[in-house]
Amino acid sequence: MFTGIIQAIGKVREPEALGDGVRLTIEAPDLGLETVKVGESIAVNGACMTVVEVEGDTFQIEVSAESLSKTTGLDTWGEVNLEKALRVGDRLDGHIVSGHVDGVGQVEVMEPKAESWHLVVRAPIKLSPYLAYKGSITVNGVSLTINDVQDTPAGTRISINLIPHTVEVTTLKHLKPQDWVNLEVDTIARYVERMMSVRNDEGLF
């Protein structure tokens, strides 16, 4: 489990082919890898990945073809948001994040607005039931609050206000229109939708 509070920005070296997937070496001098062991989980741009090797300021992960098909940005060079898995007793400063990407959204707007930034992402229609005003969403691993929701035939447009600190300490600063991002909906919203659908369809409650 994670919180969506980014702990460091890592840099992906050249991906290596691994069957239908890839093996990534990620430089992360600010993540505190001295406490990370092989087999532990790290969220990379919001996707939970297993560490297969740690050496100095770098660690390696293996990304399967299935993971590549459900995410974006895990097979190329560039910066990635990183978060180590929660430990019992850690503070939950963001929201409950599983690291399982629910869908890929597309950036429509990323522009300065007063002292902050205005981000608009179009999410897949399948995620629409889980997106709500003032609800939580994870974008490339970052815990964010939705300020506006607009349903359209092409998907749901969510508007988000990014404070300067969030932009500074994450890779969201690099986003531009047409970019793709990893999205994870709020876990609580997922369970509420399931309970309501069972109640309505089966009459069990």
Side-chain angles (χ1 to χ4, degrees):
M1 301 299 291
F2 305 91
T3 68
I5 303 299
I6 302 306
Q7 297 171 335
I9 294 177
K11 185 172 294 185
V12 178
R13 293 181 179 174
E14 183 176 5
E16 302 175 30
L18 185 68
D20 292 332
V22 294
R23 185 182 181 103
L24 301 181
T25 298
I26 301 176
E27 298 176 352
D30 299 322
L31 188 61
L33 291 176
E34 64 275 2
T35 64
V36 174
K37 300 178 181 178
V38 171
E40 293 188 6
S41 297
I42 292 179
V44 180
N45 268 4
C48 179
M49 293 291 157
T50 300
V51 176
V52 297
E53 186 175 331
V54 180
E55 183 177 355
D57 290 336
T58 69
F59 69 96
Q60 294 189 348
I61 59 173
E62 295 176 351
V63 188
S64 67
E66 172 69 11
S67 293
L68 290 176
S69 70
K70 298 294 191 297
T71 62
T72 184
L74 295 183
D75 58 351
T76 61
W77 293 70
E79 293 185 337
V80 288
N81 294 318
L82 301 175
E83 181 187 356
K84 292 187 285 188
L86 275 173
R87 298 183 184 275
V88 175
D90 284 350
R91 294 179 61 179
L92 188 64
D93 291 327
H95 71 279
I96 298 174
V97 176
S98 69
H100 299 153
V101 175
D102 292 306
V104 174
Q106 189 169 34
V107 175
E108 292 191 349
V109 177
M110 178 60 173
E111 61 185 13
K113 186 174 183 180
E115 74 284 357
S116 302
W117 285 78
H118 182 215
L119 172 64
V120 177
V121 176
R122 187 176 72 251
I125 292 176
K126 67 178 182 178
L127 301 187
S128 298
Y130 312 106
L131 304 173
Y133 172 65
K134 295 304 180 183
S136 296
I137 184 75
T138 306
V139 178
N140 277 356
V142 185
S143 173
L144 300 169
T145 300
I146 299 172
N147 288 336
D148 185 61
V149 178
Q150 297 179 352
D151 293 315
T152 74
T156 297
R157 300 175 79 247
I158 55 173
S159 297
I160 299 165
N161 180 68
L162 300 175
I163 64 172
H165 175 76
T166 300
V167 174
E168 179 182 354
V169 301
T170 71
T171 65
L172 298 185
K173 66 172 71 70
H174 303 310
L175 292 181
K176 58 187 182 300
Q178 307 304 316
D179 282 350
W180 298 96
V181 289
N182 295 319
L183 301 176
E184 181 184 335
V185 301
D186 184 25
T187 298
I188 296 174
R190 188 183 291 112
Y191 280 109
V192 170
E193 195 278 337
R194 169 61 178 164
M195 287 187 290
M196 294 300 295
S197 66
V198 171
R199 175 185 296 178
N200 295 334
D201 298 339
E202 307 295 338
L204 298 180
F205 298 99

